Amino acid sequence: MISTKRFVADNDSGKRYSLTLVPDMPLLDILYIDDDLVAINKPHGLLVHRSPIANDAPEFALQLLRDQLDRKVFPAHRLDRKTGGVLLFGLSKDAEKLMQQQFQENLVDKKYLAIVRGYTDDTGEIDYPLRKENGTLQEAFTKYKTIARAELYVPFGSHPTSRYSLIEANPETGRMHQLRKHFSHIFHPIIGDRTHGCNKQNKLFKERWELDTMLLHASQLTFDHPLTKMPIQIEAPLQEEFLRVMGIMGWDSK
């Protein structure tokens, strides 16, 4: 198979890194790259890496990015399959290990955008422990603020309209499915979340707007570089389906 090259610049130094382009291979959107780290805007629906519980997936972020950069990459954290946004990799085992340590110690500031059912409070805190698969409870804490609200003249159940909120969430701990579980806990489930969300709302969005995407987006990571110690902030623009629903709600996407 014939491949070609293009180049992407380091965000800080301007140094150029070559990317191998293979025909028909999806090109991941690289948000940041330097000698130690690379971040992509992971599409909704793309697994981070191969998993025995998702045998249906033909592509994975780790393998696609490895082939695109023509070098090994090591995931520094995880995003759910249906979550889009900033996904960070180390370009060495040392960088991976140091970044994973920062995530585990809650030294990385994480921001997400989500569209949820109902009108959320202007600001809020969710302090609700979550249970691991082995039954152990772990502390879990999330802050959020409401960015916009919408009321659609679409009947839902006994209600003549449907209400939704766009929120920015800041999970201060990093538990599995934390935001999905937390917003379900306060009765504002994330639209498109099949496991912890509202099946009736998901069906409404599927049938009326042909939406099969979970409306959760990892919008920003802020941390100190594990090797240079310089402050790093990486932002990911919203993707097509999230923007489409924002249009349905009448919200400005800028």
Side-chain angles (χ1 to χ4, degrees), residues 32 34 37 39 86 88 99 102-103 107-110 220-226 229-234:
Y32 177 91
D34 63 24
L37 302 171
V86 184
L88 186 66
M99 277 310 312
Q102 286 198 49
F103 278 103
L107 299 176
V108 180
D109 184 69
K110 300 163 287 187
Q220 183 177 291
L221 288 181
T222 304
F223 56 92
D224 289 337
H225 193 286
K229 308 305 179 185
M230 295 293 293
I232 303 292
Q233 186 173 93
I234 305 172

Side-chain angles (χ1 to χ4, degrees), residues 135-205:
T136 304
L137 277 177
Q138 293 180 303
E139 291 183 357
F141 187 78
T142 300
K143 292 182 179 180
Y144 71 89
K145 64 180 180 181
T146 301
I147 298 172
R149 298 184 181 93
E151 183 170 20
L152 303 183
Y153 290 95
V154 177
F156 185 76
S158 61
H159 303 284
T161 62
S162 300
R163 292 181 172 185
Y164 304 97
S165 298
L166 173 65
I167 58 99
E168 179 182 88
N170 182 207
E172 296 193 357
T173 50
R175 310 308 181 199
M176 181 178 289
H177 297 177
Q178 177 171 320
L179 295 181
R180 298 165 63 180
K181 292 178 179 178
H182 269 182
F183 283 99
S184 177
H185 174 68
I186 64 169
F187 305 106
H188 293 292
I190 297 170
I191 301 301
D193 183 353
R194 292 179 179 173
T195 306
H196 308 288
C198 173
N199 290 332
K200 291 181 180 179
Q201 283 286 346
N202 295 343
K203 183 179 179 182
L204 172 67
F205 274 79

Side-chain angles (χ1 to χ4, degrees), residues 5 50 53 56 64 117 124 128 131 135 137 141 144 149 185 189 192 203 223 242 251 254:
K5 294 275 188 180
R50 286 189 173 88
I53 63 173
D56 62 313
L64 290 174
R117 182 188 70 187
Y128 179 67
R131 199 172 298 277
L137 277 177
F141 187 78
Y144 71 89
R149 298 184 181 93
H185 174 68
K203 183 179 179 182
F223 56 92
F242 203 114
W251 296 328
K254 295 181 180 180

Side-chain angles (χ1 to χ4, degrees), residues 230-250:
M230 295 293 293
I232 303 292
Q233 186 173 93
I234 305 172
E235 297 183 1
L238 290 168
Q239 298 169 21
E240 182 179 352
E241 285 293 84
F242 203 114
L243 290 170
R244 183 169 71 90
V245 175
M246 288 186 66
I248 292 168
M249 300 292 172

Side-chain angles (χ1 to χ4, degrees), residues 28-85:
L28 296 170
D29 179 15
I30 293 180
L31 304 169
Y32 177 91
I33 189 168
D34 63 24
D35 288 335
D36 308 296
L37 302 171
V38 59
I40 65 167
N41 189 358
K42 185 185 85 66
H44 297 271
L46 181 65
L47 280 166
V48 175
H49 52 67
R50 286 189 173 88
S51 169
I53 63 173
N55 294 323
D56 62 313
E59 297 170 336
F60 310 88
L62 188 153
Q63 285 79 12
L64 290 174
L65 184 60
R66 176 199 63 196
D67 294 345
Q68 188 168 323
L69 294 177
D70 197 22
R71 63 182 297 179
K72 288 185 177 181
V73 296
F74 308 89
H77 67 129
R78 303 288 189 271
L79 290 178
D80 293 342
R81 181 177 186 174
K82 294 187 72 177
T83 303

